Amino acid sequence: MNRATLKKLFEQPSLKACSNRKFNDGTATHTGSSEGTQVVKKVAVKRKLKDESKVKYDGSKEKTTTAESKRKKRKRGKENPSKSSASNEKIDGLSKTSKSSTQSSQGHLKDRLAGARFRYLNEMLYTSDSKEAMTLFKSDPSSYDVYHQGYRKQIEKWPVKPIDLAIKFVKSKPKHFVVADMGCGEAVLAASVPHKVYSFDMKALNERVTVADMANTPLQSGSVNMVVFCLSLMGTNITQFIQEAHRVLAAEGVLWISEVSSRFNRDMKTFSDGVESIGFKCTSCNTDMTHFATLTFKKTQSKAVTGKQRKSKVVDISLAPCLYKKR
């Protein structure tokens, strides 16, 4: 091919456009041809649109993925209701446990406060006379209920209950015997025996109880066959209680006493001698129980011996107070 032919081919438009291209680092740019410039612009626009559409697509894909994950979670909950219900039950159980623990702590605090009040009332009853105790319970009737609730809790721990022995003893006597239950509490004795029982205490917990001071009951002299003091010789005027028992008892009437063993200070004879000095004779003494002792006396004189009638110096009957340790 001669030079003239090559020149003609080179002067053709398509080849001329190619001759105007420059290559720099493998990147093609058009400098001479307007047609080539338009082609480059179109390619750039297409690339930009493609990149933007890709960004939009990726964003929508992320949103779609998040929504789909939520739908899948809800779907799993519907498909596995046992798991969701189990989790709900676990939450409910935790809330119930926290509530029960709160209630338990509150109940424990109430019990401690009630226990402290019981110990205070118990000490007051042992260290004051019956008139002072009557005045307290009249001014604050709820204190009597608090005391008896604490008293019941203490007695429940004992393997043998004194009231059970009192019931057994009364039942062993003829049915015509009339009984006076001093410091009766809930009058359990009257509800448990076929005998006629007069029940006295500082407050009436039920219809069987008559409110009275044990040192001064409304009974007539010589009107009963038996007097019972079941854990009720509390106060500093025990001598007056025994004198009142002697007054209301008929000739050869029976006096039955049950008291906490520690109150005798290991000296049962001193207490027994004091009771006998008023006009009784001790017929039995039982100290086999772990927590308490019982004594039985028989009335021997028609009138109780008072301090004025005694030749020797009067010694009041006393027992050690049954006090609980302060916490």
Side-chain angles (χ1 to χ4, degrees):
M1 184 179 293
N2 57 24
R3 184 176 294 180
T5 304
L6 289 172
K7 187 177 181 180
K8 288 180 180 180
L9 289 172
F10 183 78
E11 288 178 354
Q12 290 181 2
S14 58
L15 294 177
K16 191 175 183 179
C18 292
S19 65
N20 292 330
R21 290 179 182 173
K22 293 181 180 180
F23 297 92
N24 296 319
D25 299 330
T27 303
T29 57
H30 298 273
T31 56
S33 172
S34 61
E35 183 181 352
T37 303
Q38 290 177 358
V39 171
V40 171
K41 287 182 179 181
K42 288 181 180 181
V43 172
V45 170
K46 286 182 180 181
R47 286 180 178 176
K48 185 176 181 181
L49 292 174
K50 187 176 180 180
D51 293 339
E52 289 179 355
S53 63
K54 185 176 180 181
V55 171
K56 289 181 180 179
Y57 174 75
D58 292 341
S60 63
K61 186 175 181 181
E62 290 177 0
K63 293 179 182 179
T64 304
T65 304
T66 305
E68 286 180 356
S69 63
K70 290 181 179 179
R71 283 197 297 270
K72 287 180 180 179
K73 287 181 179 179
R74 288 197 295 269
K75 189 175 180 182
R76 283 196 298 269
K78 291 180 180 179
E79 290 177 353
N80 301 312
S82 59
K83 291 184 178 180
S84 59
S85 61
S87 61
N88 292 333
E89 288 177 0
K90 187 176 181 180
I91 295 171
D92 293 339
L94 292 172
S95 61
K96 288 179 180 179
T97 302
S98 61
K99 287 180 181 179
S100 62
S101 61
T102 303
Q103 292 174 354
S104 176
S105 60
Q106 290 176 349
H108 180 65
L109 179 60
K110 288 181 179 179
D111 290 341
R112 291 191 63 182
L113 291 173
R117 194 177 180 191
F118 164 74
R119 289 189 293 275
Y120 163 76
L121 292 170
N122 183 75
E123 182 174 351
M124 187 277 300
L125 289 173
Y126 277 110
T127 57
S128 60
D129 62 32
S130 55
K131 287 183 180 179
E132 293 173 340
M134 289 281 290
T135 302
L136 170 68
F137 291 138
K138 283 182 180 179
S139 62
D140 184 13
S142 65
S143 60
Y144 186 85
D145 300 327
V146 171
Y147 171 77
H148 268 276
Q149 288 175 3
Y151 169 80
R152 282 193 294 268
K153 287 184 178 180
Q154 295 298 322
I155 297 301
E156 285 175 358
K157 302 174 184 178
W158 294 11
V160 179
K161 313 294 188 296
I163 188 61
D164 294 335
L165 296 184
I167 293 170
K168 183 179 179 180
F169 183 77
V170 173
K171 285 183 176 181
S172 68
K173 300 302 177 182
K175 291 184 179 180
H176 70 270
F177 265 39
V178 180
V179 182
D181 186 6
M182 304 293 199
C184 62
E186 297 174 286
V188 176
L189 180 63
S192 305
V193 298
H195 302 70
K196 173 65 177 177
V197 179
Y198 293 103
S199 304
F200 300 103
D201 213 324
M202 289 179 280
K203 182 185 175 183
L205 292 179
N206 54 55
E207 67 281 356
R208 296 187 295 272
V209 183
T210 300
V211 177
D213 186 343
M214 294 188 303
N216 185 22
T217 67
L219 292 173
Q220 294 182 358
S221 298
S223 60
V224 301
N225 304 103
M226 183 185 301
V227 173
V228 173
F229 288 99
C230 186
L231 302 180
S232 57
L233 289 177
M234 306 176 73
T236 57
N237 56 329
I238 296 176
T239 302
Q240 293 179 2
F241 299 157
I242 302 301
Q243 289 173 342
E244 179 66 4
H246 190 280
R247 183 187 72 81
V248 301
L249 276 170
E252 299 186 352
V254 178
L255 173 62
W256 190 88
I257 297 173
S258 173
E259 269 302 332
V260 178
S261 301
S262 60
R263 297 195 65 196
F264 296 101
N265 287 330
R266 298 181 180 179
D267 190 5
M268 196 80 67
K269 189 176 185 304
T270 299
F271 175 79
S272 179
D273 290 345
V275 175
E276 287 185 341
S277 67
I278 293 176
F280 289 97
K281 177 66 177 178
C282 184
T283 58
S284 68
C285 178
N286 187 353
T287 59
D288 294 337
M289 283 70 66
T290 57
H291 292 76
F292 61 95
T294 62
L295 299 95
T296 307
F297 297 87
K298 184 177 180 180
K299 182 177 178 179
T300 57
Q301 297 181 6
S302 59
K303 291 184 179 180
V305 178
T306 62
K308 293 180 181 180
Q309 296 171 331
R310 295 177 187 170
K311 294 180 181 180
S312 60
K313 187 178 179 180
V314 177
V315 178
D316 286 338
I317 302 170
S318 62
L319 291 170
C322 186
L323 304 180
Y324 294 91
K325 294 181 180 180
K326 295 182 180 180
R327 299 177 183 177

